[in-house]
């Protein structure tokens, strides 16, 4: 299998999707000849022309409104929001239009072919306008799917599945590992099913759950825990909505403990929803309170970024606290 980084895998997925289906269009701010601010769409315009890969004005609400119109007419638009922090001007279009198209028409029409790609998260010294993790805002919106990959192999398969899914999908890409995450990626066309979590590592003492770039930190913390005799089961949620409750619950029944970690702030983060659901389903199997290791409830800082983030040291300490409860 070819070795590639996460950006290359995303670019290859877009290339395959556009090559196999002429209804797939890619557009956003600077995605054309420039290839996007991170070069995720590099060379796509050269290959498929300006009619299928093109720049838009700097208006996120306009980008998604335009995408809704295309999807409603049967196209499969892939709209890029340059940074997840910039998705909020488009919030009305996504929440009140994209998510409700199918419902309000009684399934007579929809925008199910729409995929929204956007880089999210910190770790690049981007400050408060280029580092946020807003995934939880959209998990409370029926009608949307929310997907986050952790590595190149996952990114390619999940993005192809998202583009071909018959529901609108927001695809959050962890930009901290765009170039840092390198791994083997299957050649050609393949899909990874949405709404199926993956048990990355089996264990017996505690379940560790996360998504995106946080998975690397969780795995590092688990290695440190193993040196102290703690066996960690690691699960990558992959799809946040609809999420795979059964896989997570089965793991917690086995281990008796759950720790959830994400970059977004603790309050209102999706870890709270997971914790409430698993507490409801697994209460009699829990050996300790469900733990959350998340970002701080502050605006995302520039100079204190490392202190703000939920790093492997915080996760490791929380593992020990849970197991020794």
């Amino acid at each position: 299998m070819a070795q590639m980084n996460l950006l290359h895998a995303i670019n290859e997925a877009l290339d395959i999707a556009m090559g196999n289906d002429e209804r797939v269009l890619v557009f956003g701010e600077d995605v054309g000849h420039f290839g996007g601010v991170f070069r995720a769409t590099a060379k796509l315009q050269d290959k498929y022309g300006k009619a299928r890969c093109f720049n838009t004005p700097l208006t996120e609400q306009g980008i998604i409104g335009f995408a809704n119109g295309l999807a409603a007419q049967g196209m499969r638009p892939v709209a890029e929001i340059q940074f997840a922090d910039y998705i909020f001007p488009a919030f009305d279009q996504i929440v009140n239009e994209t998510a409700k198209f199918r419902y309000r028409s009684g399934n007579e029409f929809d925008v199910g072919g729409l995929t929204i790609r956007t880089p999210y998260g910190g770790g690049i010294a981007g400050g408060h306008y280029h580092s946020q993790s807003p995934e939880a805002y959209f998990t409370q919106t029926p009608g949307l799917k929310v997907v986050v990959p952790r590595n190149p192999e996952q990114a390619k398969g999940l993005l192809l599945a998202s583009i071909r899914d018959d529901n609108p999908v927001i695809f959050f890409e962890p930009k901290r590992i765009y170039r840092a995450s390198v791994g083997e990626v299957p050649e050609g066309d393949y899909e990874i099913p949405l709404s199926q979590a993956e048990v990355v590592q089996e264990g017996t003492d505690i379940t560790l759950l996360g998504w995106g770039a946080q998975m690397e930190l969780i795995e590092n913390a688990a290695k440190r825990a193993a040196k102290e005799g703690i066996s960690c089961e690691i699960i990558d949620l992959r799809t946040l909505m609809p999420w795979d409750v059964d896989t997570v619950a089965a793991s917690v029944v086995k281990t008796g403990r759950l720790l959830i970690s994400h970059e977004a702030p603790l309050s209102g983060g999706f870890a709270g929803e997971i914790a409430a659901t698993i507490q409801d389903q697994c209460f009699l199997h829990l050996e300790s309170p469900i733990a959350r290791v998340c970002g701080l409830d502050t605006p995302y800082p520039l100079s204190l970024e490392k202190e703000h983030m939920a790093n492997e040291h915080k996760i490791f300490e929380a593992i020990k606290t849970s197991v020794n409860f």
Side-chain angles (χ1 to χ4, degrees):
M1 290 188 288
Q3 287 274 341
M4 61 180 69
N5 63 28
L6 196 140
L7 270 175
H8 186 182
I10 289 169
N11 181 267
E12 189 164 291
L14 292 170
D15 188 8
I16 290 171
M18 295 180 78
N20 290 349
D21 189 344
E22 64 181 11
R23 297 175 300 165
V24 177
L25 308 179
V26 174
F27 51 89
E29 297 165 2
D30 299 319
V31 306
H33 178 72
F34 188 63
V37 68
F38 294 103
R39 305 299 188 270
T41 57
K43 299 183 180 179
L44 293 179
Q45 188 178 85
D46 295 338
K47 186 172 182 178
Y48 296 101
K50 294 182 179 180
R52 294 189 60 200
C53 179
F54 50 88
N55 295 337
T56 65
L58 305 184
T59 167
E60 287 76 20
Q61 186 175 23
I63 291 170
I64 303 304
F66 176 61
N68 282 335
L70 283 170
Q73 297 300 314
M75 304 299 285
R76 289 201 169 267
V78 182
E80 179 182 297
I81 300 297
Q82 195 170 75
F83 286 87
D85 312 61
Y86 303 167
I87 205 167
F88 297 111
F91 197 77
D92 173 56
Q93 281 294 320
I94 296 171
V95 171
N96 284 326
E97 304 298 338
T98 306
K100 296 178 175 61
F101 248 76
R102 189 190 308 276
Y103 178 80
R104 77 182 193 191
S105 73
N107 203 33
E108 289 296 316
F109 56 91
D110 62 71
V111 294
L114 170 59
T115 301
I116 302 169
R117 293 179 42 250
T118 187
Y120 87 100
I124 64 165
H128 54 287
Y129 285 128
H130 299 83
S131 305
Q132 296 176 79
S133 299
E135 64 269 23
Y137 286 99
F138 301 99
T139 59
Q140 200 184 25
T141 306
L144 299 177
K145 291 189 176 182
V146 180
V147 179
V148 190
R150 76 173 186 275
N151 62 27
E153 182 231 350
Q154 298 285 312
K156 181 179 174 182
L158 288 169
L159 182 53
L160 282 167
S162 296
I163 292 170
R164 293 162 180 166
D165 195 88
D166 288 329
N167 299 277
V169 178
I170 305 181
F171 193 85
F172 286 99
E173 300 168 3
K175 61 180 175 287
R176 180 176 65 80
I177 57 173
Y178 260 156
R179 293 182 173 84
S181 179
V182 179
E184 291 186 339
V185 177
E187 295 181 5
D189 193 342
Y190 68 93
E191 297 179 27
I192 295 174
L194 304 185
S195 296
Q196 291 185 16
E198 180 185 11
V199 179
V200 179
Q201 173 182 302
E202 293 194 357
T204 57
D205 296 327
I206 185 171
T207 300
L208 309 181
L209 177 65
W211 50 86
Q214 206 63 18
M215 293 305 301
E216 179 187 17
L217 306 181
I218 288 172
E219 291 180 79
N220 290 341
K223 290 176 183 177
R224 293 175 61 178
K227 293 178 181 179
E228 299 202 7
I230 301 173
S231 173
C232 299
E233 182 143 301
I234 303 174
I235 297 179
D236 177 11
L237 197 57
R238 302 197 293 196
T239 300
L240 274 64
M241 188 54 65
W243 65 286
D244 187 353
V245 178
D246 292 343
T247 295
V248 179
S251 176
V252 174
V253 167
K254 179 175 70 171
T255 66
R257 300 175 180 88
L258 175 63
L259 185 154
I260 312 154
S261 182
H262 59 59
E263 282 192 37
L266 177 72
S267 297
F270 195 60
E273 174 61 29
I274 297 170
T277 300
I278 296 303
Q279 184 273 150
D280 182 60
Q281 295 211 1
C282 306
F283 181 75
L284 295 178
H285 298 274
L286 290 172
E287 301 290 342
S288 65
I290 296 173
R292 293 178 292 166
V293 181
C294 308
L296 302 181
D297 289 339
T298 66
Y300 201 98
L302 179 60
S303 61
L304 297 174
E305 182 176 45
K306 291 182 179 180
E307 287 73 14
H308 181 276
M309 294 185 71
N311 57 44
E312 69 177 82
H313 310 293
K314 296 178 183 178
I315 298 169
F316 173 59
E317 293 298 325
I319 291 171
K320 292 192 295 182
T321 299
S322 181
V323 170
N324 295 323
F325 178 77

